[in-house]
Amino acid sequence: MAIKVTGILGKKVGMTQLFDSKGDVRPVTVLQAGPCVVTQHKRLTRDGYEAAQIGLVEFVKESRLTKAQRGHLAKNDLPPVNFLREVPLESDGDGGDGLKVGARVLVEIFEGEKFVDIIGVSKGRGFQGVVKRHHFGGGPKSHDRCSKLPVRLVPRRFPRVCSKGCACRDIWATPK
């Protein structure tokens, strides 16, 4: 049976707008999808599940890769890739293998599809205070006081650490 990859990796390029048939403006996200390369084929007999490990082919210096990544890619003479992800496989009833390590995965795999699902991870915003992170109003703004102090700290005196789940200043990033 012919096996094909069901996903592709990409990057967000930016935003733009398009006009529909009624003349209304629609916001559109522009993505650069691919080119990707198959770096490993996970098999049911050996790994316990069917998947393909693909990597986004971008210009990345060889020195930026770890030795383990270099060895993994050099085993099959593959170009350096920026990041690797596993995607599920889909099989047709045709026959033949169809998936080889080193094969290119392009956006043409979505030909004939009306809708595709996009999954993304937002970039983190770094260390942020409580006014930006939790929309606190801050403390009093007169009499030479700091106006961005948190108002809802659970343990105020001892110990001087925040409880888990407390709204405090911290790294504002998307959990993976």
Side-chain angles (χ1 to χ4, degrees), residues 148-167:
K148 290 192 175 186
L149 286 175
V151 193
R152 293 189 291 188
L153 279 179
V154 177
R156 295 227 174 198
R157 302 282 276 172
F158 180 79
R160 285 250 188 212
V161 293
C162 297
S163 300
K164 190 171 184 175
C166 179

Side-chain angles (χ1 to χ4, degrees), residues 137-155:
K141 294 168 182 60
S142 61
H143 302 294
D144 197 27
R145 293 188 180 184
C146 181
S147 63
K148 290 192 175 186
L149 286 175
V151 193
R152 293 189 291 188
L153 279 179
V154 177

Side-chain angles (χ1 to χ4, degrees), residues 72-79:
H72 178 64
L73 296 172
K75 184 169 45 173
N76 295 308
D77 296 325
L78 298 173

